Amino acid sequence: MSDKHLAKGAPFPPLRDGVVRLYSMRFCPYAERCRLVLAAKGIEHEIVNCSLMEKAEWLLERSPDGNVPVLEHNGKVLFESLIINDYLDEVFPARSLNPKDPYQKATDRILLQGVFTNQVMDTLTPIRRSKGGDKENAEKLSDGLAKLETELKKRGTKFFGGSQPAMVDYNMWPWIVKTDLMKHSGLTFIGDNLPLLKTYIESMMLDEAVKATQAPRDLIMRFTELWDEGTAIQYDFED
Amino acid sequence: MPGKHLTTGDDCPPLTEGTLRVYNMRFCPYAQRAMLALKVKDIPHEEVRVNTWKKPKWFLDKNPNGLVPVLESNDKIVYESAICVDYLDELYPDNPLMATDAYQRAQDRMLFNFFSSKVESVFWKSAIAKGTNAETIKDLSEKFDVLEAELKNRNTPFFGGKKVGWLDIQIWPFFERIEGLNVMGDGKSLSADRYPTLAAWIAKINEVPAIRDYIVPPDVLAKWIAKYRTEESVFDGLVDN
């Protein structure tokens, strides 16, 4: 997965029949959700990495705003990470990631759409960009993580999804894993203050799907720095 | 018959074990999604109405966001309108609202994603401006063009096919309110000239008793919204059901 990110003008990589293709960007957390599910379910697939600064025409044809991830499979095109993940789970039977119980499924979605999106996902970038100055979002994140800790305690399982990571874990992971990127601003959010989350992160890091999709830490940091600054964004790095 | 909209100071009615309860506000389009799922699927339930302007304190224990709809049954609580619809459809698999084909389901979800993230905010912007903002109306009209094209492409009476389905229920509450909220600026529902397919769809929706019987007449909605969130807010006695 160190394929060059293709940009405007790059020829369309030919599709082969029956191949599941994911249009992605190596450091995009939304695309990472789908890469995790593809890996977790053992679905054979190919990745086409895309530049998001100078978007290839064939990407813009497939995705309304030229966003990744996009899934292409036997003429079917899907976008939106959560929609792709639900589709993959419904079509590929090996290792069901969504709970069978409708109430559990609803509860996981409420957690993802609510606390996680509002207090974790939406706060990370503002906090990083402010280099710790944004106290409001920092408080929101602390509170959000505390709520996740409480939820994990309530569930009494190793992962939010049970004894193994499930859909909700993979859908949250690309952001949970980044909650420690603010250390250089002197902000630590998950430590001994949130023991269950701390152990949760350690357990997730040992998960096979996470190991298969995780970029090296230093590259994530380098990319994120450039992305936060908004100029000279780089997608390809020497591994 | 559902009771009055409960407000500050009113007690929470006790919930019998095994009963599925929905917390509703008669004029809320989001709560209407859950109500339509219950009615179209004929799911036995009990309705408790909540005054969303002056909420009873206990309602925040049900949903910390303090919004309708909320589903409650034996200590299981579900909220967020789209999640409620899916939950009901999965809990009661007879008469499924969702498409049976996984790709069709994904296409419905993608279209719904377009609706929630790109159409709703423009809809409300126009409603708040009472149909006087020409630029907003143009924007909204173009968004409706997308839905017109999509339904035309499907070549079926409903988004869900021959029968009312998941997507019809998710988006209908907004189309119902076009006239009453004057979002197109002309005091009318969608023009059949520009939107022949959607206009035909609206007519078909009006033939589905479960949906038709819950419609609030545009003039009643206009009267209600004029007073909503003021000291003269009124929730009860405006419609028969």
Side-chain angles (χ1 to χ4, degrees):
Chain A
M1 241 228 70
S2 21
D3 290 345
K4 191 163 154 350
H5 288 73
L6 302 174
K8 187 173 177 184
F12 177 68
L15 273 166
R16 288 164 298 137
D17 260 355
V19 171
V20 173
R21 169 184 285 180
L22 187 77
Y23 297 90
S24 180
M25 189 276 278
R26 192 177 185 192
F27 305 96
C28 171
Y30 298 92
E32 190 179 337
R33 282 174 160 164
C34 300
R35 292 192 292 115
L36 284 162
V37 167
L38 286 162
K41 291 178 70 71
I43 299 168
E44 239 182 83
H45 63 282
E46 74 179 15
I47 304 267
V48 171
N49 276 327
C50 302
S51 162
L52 302 178
M53 296 294 282
E54 299 274 326
K55 294 175 185 179
E57 299 83 349
W58 38 261
L59 178 65
L60 290 164
E61 279 164 24
R62 284 159 171 77
S63 162
D65 301 317
N67 291 332
V68 293
V70 175
L71 190 83
E72 189 163 10
H73 178 225
N74 287 341
K76 299 173 191 176
V77 175
L78 293 94
F79 45 85
E80 288 303 317
S81 58
L82 300 178
I83 294 175
I84 291 171
N85 279 353
D86 282 347
Y87 171 79
L88 290 171
D89 206 42
E90 287 163 22
V91 169
F92 294 89
R95 191 174 167 198
S96 261
L97 293 175
N98 270 324
K100 297 255 186 309
D101 174 49
Y103 181 59
Q104 193 55 56
K105 196 171 177 194
T107 304
D108 286 353
R109 281 177 69 184
I110 290 170
L111 186 71
L112 187 76
Q113 266 180 226
V115 170
F116 172 74
T117 297
N118 298 328
Q119 293 187 251
V120 179
M121 196 166 151
D122 288 352
T123 58
L124 294 182
T125 302
I127 293 171
R128 278 198 322 265
R129 283 188 170 149
S130 74
K131 300 206 198 298
D134 188 337
K135 300 277 182 260
E136 198 186 310
N137 273 311
E139 248 178 67
K140 236 183 182 176
L141 177 61
S142 290
D143 184 66
L145 292 171
K147 286 182 176 139
L148 288 182
E149 176 87 5
T150 305
E151 182 61 28
L152 198 50
K153 187 168 190 189
K154 185 172 164 199
R155 293 179 183 218
T157 47
K158 196 170 174 192
F159 302 96
F160 286 90
S163 54
Q164 270 195 309
M167 190 64 86
V168 65
D169 298 283
Y170 291 128
N171 279 336
M172 293 198 296
W173 180 247
W175 287 269
I176 301 267
V177 73
K178 294 199 172 102
T179 49
D180 73 339
L181 287 185
M182 280 84 78
K183 275 205 190 110
H184 58 282
S185 300
L187 293 169
T188 303
F189 288 95
I190 301 175
D192 296 325
N193 58 322
L194 300 172
L196 292 176
L197 276 184
K198 185 165 178 245
T199 313
Y200 171 69
I201 290 175
E202 287 161 13
S203 303
M204 282 294 280
M205 296 289 268
L206 296 172
D207 178 65
E208 290 306 318
V210 169
K211 286 201 293 198
T213 53
Q214 203 73 37
R217 201 91 195 119
D218 62 315
L219 294 188
I220 295 176
M221 295 216 58
R222 278 170 65 193
F223 172 82
T224 308
E225 255 171 53
L226 293 169
W227 190 78
D228 281 346
E229 276 163 39
T231 59
I233 291 172
Q234 189 181 338
Y235 298 108
D236 301 309
F237 296 88
E238 288 298 313
D239 253 61
Chain B
M1 264 299 294
K4 70 169 193 119
H5 288 77
L6 300 175
T7 184
T8 12
D10 289 332
D11 289 330
C12 181
L15 178 60
T16 341
E17 202 183 314
T19 301
L20 173 66
R21 172 184 284 176
V22 61
Y23 294 92
N24 183 33
M25 192 277 277
R26 184 64 180 85
F27 304 96
C28 174
Y30 299 95
Q32 187 174 354
R33 288 171 170 163
M35 296 307 300
L36 291 182
L38 288 163
K39 288 170 189 297
V40 169
K41 289 172 69 74
D42 207 10
I43 297 169
H45 64 280
E46 164 192 281
E47 186 187 343
V48 168
R49 293 186 175 175
V50 174
N51 179 324
T52 47
W53 174 226
K54 304 231 163 121
K55 298 167 195 175
K57 260 205 208 125
W58 49 258
F59 188 61
L60 289 165
D61 296 332
K62 310 290 180 192
N63 177 3
N65 300 331
L67 302 170
V68 289
V70 180
L71 293 168
E72 186 178 13
S73 172
N74 295 341
D75 291 333
K76 292 185 184 179
I77 289 184
V78 176
Y79 50 86
E80 290 305 316
S81 61
I83 299 177
C84 285
V85 171
D86 286 0
Y87 174 64
L88 289 169
D89 209 32
E90 287 162 22
L91 211 55
Y92 296 88
D94 289 340
N95 303 321
L97 292 169
M98 280 192 254
T100 41
D101 175 65
Y103 184 49
Q104 187 58 57
R105 276 201 297 278
Q107 287 177 300
D108 288 349
R109 287 169 185 158
M110 287 188 276
L111 198 56
F112 180 60
N113 180 265
F114 165 75
F115 190 84
S116 324
S117 61
K118 302 248 162 86
V119 184
E120 282 179 33
S121 57
V122 188
F123 182 96
W124 292 124
K125 196 173 171 192
S126 185
I128 287 165
K130 295 192 171 71
T132 58
N133 186 330
E135 224 176 275
T136 308
I137 291 170
K138 179 169 183 282
D139 188 1
L140 187 60
S141 303
E142 285 162 11
K143 303 266 170 14
F144 285 151
D145 285 335
V146 173
L147 293 162
E148 167 79 15
E150 179 60 35
L151 187 56
K152 186 160 184 209
N153 193 34
R154 290 180 183 215
N155 199 23
T156 48
F158 300 100
F159 285 91
K162 294 204 183 96
K163 291 194 300 171
V164 160
W166 183 87
L167 190 57
D168 300 284
I169 277 176
Q170 301 279 34
I171 67 177
W172 168 250
F174 289 83
F175 287 90
E176 177 184 320
R177 286 162 173 73
I178 289 174
E179 191 179 332
L181 299 180
N182 193 22
V183 293
M184 299 309 274
D186 59 3
K188 295 189 218 158
S189 185
L190 282 190
S191 149
D193 292 331
R194 182 164 177 172
Y195 309 101
T197 324
L198 287 176
W201 172 71
I202 291 171
K204 288 298 277 189
I205 288 274
N206 273 270
E207 290 169 18
V208 179
I211 304 181
R212 180 199 62 213
D213 295 345
Y214 195 73
I215 289 174
V216 172
D219 57 322
V220 175
L221 183 71
K223 248 197 303 217
W224 175 79
I225 200 119
K227 301 216 168 103
Y228 184 51
R229 294 182 173 266
T230 72
E231 286 310 312
E232 291 160 29
S233 272
V234 64
F235 294 84
D236 303 308
L238 295 166
V239 288
D240 289 336
N241 62 352

